[in-house]
Coordinates of all heavy atoms in Angstrom, one line a residue:
A109 N 29.2 -9.8 0.9 CA 29.8 -11.1 0.8 C 29.1 -12.0 1.8 O 28.8 -11.6 2.9 CB 31.4 -11.1 1.1
E110 N 28.8 -13.3 1.4 CA 28.1 -14.2 2.3 C 29.2 -15.0 3.0 O 30.3 -15.2 2.5 CB 27.3 -15.2 1.5 CG 26.2 -14.5 0.6 CD 25.5 -15.5 -0.3 OE1 25.2 -16.6 0.3 OE2 25.4 -15.2 -1.4
S111 N 28.8 -15.3 4.3 CA 29.7 -16.2 5.1 C 28.7 -17.1 5.9 O 27.5 -16.9 5.9 CB 30.6 -15.4 6.1 OG 29.8 -14.8 7.1
Q112 N 29.3 -18.0 6.6 CA 28.5 -19.0 7.3 C 27.6 -18.4 8.4 O 26.4 -18.7 8.5 CB 29.4 -20.0 8.0 CG 28.7 -21.1 8.7 CD 29.6 -22.1 9.4 OE1 30.8 -21.9 9.4 NE2 29.0 -23.2 9.8
G113 N 28.0 -17.3 9.0 CA 27.3 -16.8 10.1 C 26.4 -15.5 9.7 O 25.7 -15.0 10.5
G114 N 26.6 -15.1 8.4 CA 25.8 -13.9 8.0 C 26.3 -13.3 6.8 O 26.8 -14.0 5.9
I115 N 26.0 -12.0 6.6 CA 26.3 -11.3 5.4 C 27.2 -10.0 5.8 O 26.7 -9.3 6.6 CB 25.0 -10.9 4.7 CG1 24.2 -12.1 4.4 CG2 25.3 -10.1 3.4 CD1 22.7 -11.8 4.2
L116 N 28.3 -9.9 5.1 CA 29.1 -8.7 5.3 C 28.8 -7.7 4.3 O 28.9 -7.9 3.0 CB 30.6 -9.1 5.2 CG 31.6 -8.0 5.3 CD1 31.5 -7.4 6.7 CD2 33.0 -8.5 5.0
L117 N 28.4 -6.5 4.7 CA 28.2 -5.3 3.8 C 29.4 -4.5 3.8 O 29.9 -4.2 4.9 CB 27.0 -4.5 4.3 CG 25.7 -5.3 4.5 CD1 24.6 -4.4 5.1 CD2 25.2 -5.9 3.1
T118 N 29.9 -4.1 2.7 CA 31.2 -3.4 2.6 C 31.1 -2.1 1.8 O 30.5 -2.1 0.8 CB 32.3 -4.3 2.1 OG1 33.5 -3.5 2.0 CG2 32.0 -4.8 0.7
P119 N 31.7 -1.1 2.3 CA 31.8 0.2 1.5 C 33.0 0.2 0.6 O 33.1 1.1 -0.3 CB 32.0 1.3 2.6 CG 32.8 0.5 3.7 CD 32.3 -0.9 3.7
L120 N 33.8 -0.8 0.6 CA 35.0 -0.9 -0.2 C 34.7 -1.6 -1.5 O 33.8 -2.4 -1.6 CB 36.1 -1.7 0.5 CG 36.5 -1.1 1.9 CD1 37.5 -2.0 2.6 CD2 37.0 0.3 1.8
R121 N 35.3 -1.2 -2.6 CA 35.0 -1.7 -3.9 C 35.7 -3.1 -4.1 O 35.3 -3.9 -5.0 CB 35.5 -0.7 -5.0 CG 34.8 0.5 -4.9 CD 35.0 1.5 -6.1 NE 34.5 2.8 -5.8 CZ 33.2 3.1 -5.9 NH1 32.3 2.2 -6.3 NH2 32.8 4.4 -5.7
R122 N 36.7 -3.4 -3.4 CA 37.4 -4.7 -3.4 C 37.5 -5.3 -2.0 O 37.6 -4.5 -1.1 CB 38.8 -4.6 -4.0 CG 38.8 -4.5 -5.5 CD 40.1 -4.5 -6.1 NE 40.5 -3.1 -6.4 CZ 41.7 -2.6 -6.3 NH1 42.7 -3.4 -5.9 NH2 41.9 -1.4 -6.7
R123 N 37.5 -6.6 -1.9 CA 37.7 -7.3 -0.6 C 39.0 -6.8 0.0 O 40.0 -6.6 -0.6 CB 37.7 -8.8 -0.8 CG 36.4 -9.4 -1.0 CD 35.3 -9.2 0.1 NE 35.7 -9.5 1.4 CZ 35.4 -10.7 2.0 NH1 34.6 -11.5 1.4 NH2 35.8 -10.9 3.2
S124 N 38.9 -6.6 1.3 CA 40.1 -6.2 2.1 C 39.9 -6.7 3.5 O 38.9 -7.0 4.0 CB 40.0 -4.6 2.1 OG 40.9 -4.1 3.1
L125 N 41.1 -6.7 4.2 CA 41.1 -7.0 5.6 C 40.3 -6.0 6.4 O 39.9 -6.2 7.6 CB 42.5 -7.2 6.1 CG 43.3 -8.3 5.6 CD1 44.7 -8.3 6.1 CD2 42.6 -9.7 6.0
L126 N 40.1 -4.8 5.9 CA 39.4 -3.7 6.5 C 37.9 -3.9 6.5 O 37.2 -3.1 7.1 CB 39.8 -2.4 6.0 CG 41.3 -2.0 6.2 CD1 41.6 -0.7 5.5 CD2 41.7 -2.0 7.6
D127 N 37.3 -4.8 5.7 CA 35.9 -5.0 5.5 C 35.2 -5.1 6.8 O 34.2 -4.4 7.0 CB 35.6 -6.2 4.7 CG 35.8 -6.0 3.2 OD1 35.8 -4.9 2.7 OD2 36.0 -7.0 2.4
R128 N 35.7 -5.9 7.7 CA 35.0 -6.2 9.0 C 35.0 -4.9 9.8 O 34.0 -4.7 10.6 CB 35.8 -7.3 9.7 CG 35.2 -7.7 11.0 CD 34.0 -8.6 10.7 NE 33.7 -9.2 12.0 CZ 32.5 -9.6 12.3 NH1 31.5 -9.4 11.5 NH2 32.2 -10.1 13.5
F129 N 35.9 -4.0 9.7 CA 35.9 -2.8 10.5 C 35.3 -1.6 9.8 O 34.7 -0.7 10.5 CB 37.4 -2.4 10.8 CG 38.1 -3.5 11.5 CD1 39.1 -4.3 10.8 CD2 37.9 -3.7 12.8 CE1 39.7 -5.3 11.4 CE2 38.6 -4.8 13.5 CZ 39.5 -5.6 12.7
R130 N 35.3 -1.5 8.5 CA 34.7 -0.4 7.8 C 33.2 -0.7 7.4 O 32.4 0.2 7.2 CB 35.5 -0.1 6.5 CG 36.9 0.2 6.7 CD 37.2 1.7 6.9 NE 36.6 2.6 6.0 CZ 37.0 3.0 4.8 NH1 38.1 2.5 4.3 NH2 36.3 3.8 4.1
G131 N 32.9 -2.0 7.2 CA 31.6 -2.4 6.8 C 30.7 -2.7 8.0 O 30.9 -2.3 9.1
M132 N 29.7 -3.5 7.7 CA 28.8 -3.9 8.7 C 28.5 -5.4 8.5 O 28.1 -5.8 7.4 CB 27.4 -3.2 8.7 CG 26.5 -3.6 9.8 SD 24.9 -2.7 9.8 CE 25.4 -1.1 10.4
F133 N 28.6 -6.2 9.5 CA 28.3 -7.7 9.5 C 26.9 -7.8 10.0 O 26.6 -7.5 11.1 CB 29.3 -8.5 10.3 CG 29.2 -9.9 10.0 CD1 29.7 -10.5 8.9 CD2 28.4 -10.7 10.8 CE1 29.6 -11.9 8.6 CE2 28.3 -12.1 10.6 CZ 28.9 -12.7 9.5
L134 N 26.0 -8.4 9.2 CA 24.6 -8.8 9.6 C 24.7 -10.2 10.0 O 24.8 -11.2 9.2 CB 23.7 -8.6 8.4 CG 23.7 -7.2 7.7 CD1 22.7 -7.3 6.6 CD2 23.3 -6.1 8.7
H135 N 24.5 -10.5 11.3 CA 24.3 -11.9 11.8 C 22.9 -12.3 11.3 O 21.9 -11.5 11.5 CB 24.4 -12.0 13.3 CG 25.8 -11.6 13.8 ND1 26.8 -12.5 13.7 CD2 26.3 -10.5 14.3 CE1 27.9 -12.0 14.3 NE2 27.6 -10.8 14.6
V136 N 22.7 -13.5 10.8 CA 21.4 -13.9 10.4 C 21.2 -15.3 10.9 O 22.2 -16.2 11.0 CB 21.2 -13.9 8.9 CG1 21.1 -12.4 8.4 CG2 22.2 -14.6 8.1
T137 N 20.0 -15.7 11.2 CA 19.6 -17.0 11.6 C 19.3 -17.8 10.3 O 19.0 -17.2 9.3 CB 18.4 -17.0 12.5 OG1 17.3 -16.5 11.8 CG2 18.6 -16.3 13.8
P138 N 19.4 -19.1 10.4 CA 19.1 -19.9 9.1 C 17.7 -19.6 8.6 O 17.6 -19.5 7.4 CB 19.2 -21.3 9.6 CG 20.2 -21.3 10.8 CD 19.9 -20.0 11.5
Q139 N 16.7 -19.4 9.4 CA 15.4 -19.1 8.9 C 15.3 -17.7 8.3 O 14.4 -17.5 7.5 CB 14.3 -19.3 10.0 CG 14.5 -18.5 11.2 CD 15.3 -19.3 12.3 OE1 16.2 -20.1 12.0 NE2 15.0 -19.0 13.5
D140 N 16.1 -16.7 8.6 CA 16.1 -15.4 8.1 C 17.0 -15.2 6.9 O 16.9 -14.2 6.2 CB 16.4 -14.3 9.1 CG 15.4 -14.2 10.2 OD1 14.2 -14.3 9.9 OD2 15.7 -14.0 11.4
R141 N 17.9 -16.1 6.7 CA 19.1 -15.9 5.8 C 18.6 -15.5 4.3 O 19.0 -14.5 3.7 CB 20.0 -17.1 5.7 CG 21.1 -17.0 4.8 CD 22.1 -18.2 4.9 NE 23.3 -17.9 4.2 CZ 24.3 -17.3 4.8 NH1 24.2 -16.9 6.0 NH2 25.4 -17.0 4.2
E142 N 17.7 -16.4 3.7 CA 17.3 -16.1 2.3 C 16.6 -14.9 2.2 O 16.8 -14.1 1.2 CB 16.6 -17.3 1.8 CG 17.4 -18.5 1.5 CD 18.7 -18.2 0.6 OE1 18.5 -17.5 -0.4 OE2 19.8 -18.6 1.0
R143 N 15.7 -14.5 3.1 CA 14.9 -13.3 3.0 C 15.8 -12.1 3.1 O 15.7 -11.2 2.3 CB 13.8 -13.3 4.1 CG 13.0 -12.0 4.3 CD 12.0 -12.2 5.4 NE 12.7 -12.4 6.7 CZ 12.8 -11.4 7.6 NH1 12.3 -10.2 7.4 NH2 13.4 -11.7 8.8

Side-chain angles (χ1 to χ4, degrees):
E110 298 175 50
S111 73
Q112 184 178 9
I115 303 161
L116 176 66
L117 304 174
T118 178
L120 304 174
R121 297 189 192 281
R122 282 187 257 147
R123 286 299 307 259
S124 163
L125 293 175
L126 297 176
D127 282 339
R128 183 80 169 149
F129 303 102
R130 301 269 315 273
M132 181 184 285
F133 189 80
L134 306 177
H135 295 282
V136 292
T137 60
Q139 55 269 32
D140 291 322
R141 183 178 192 83
E142 285 308 312
R143 175 177 61 104

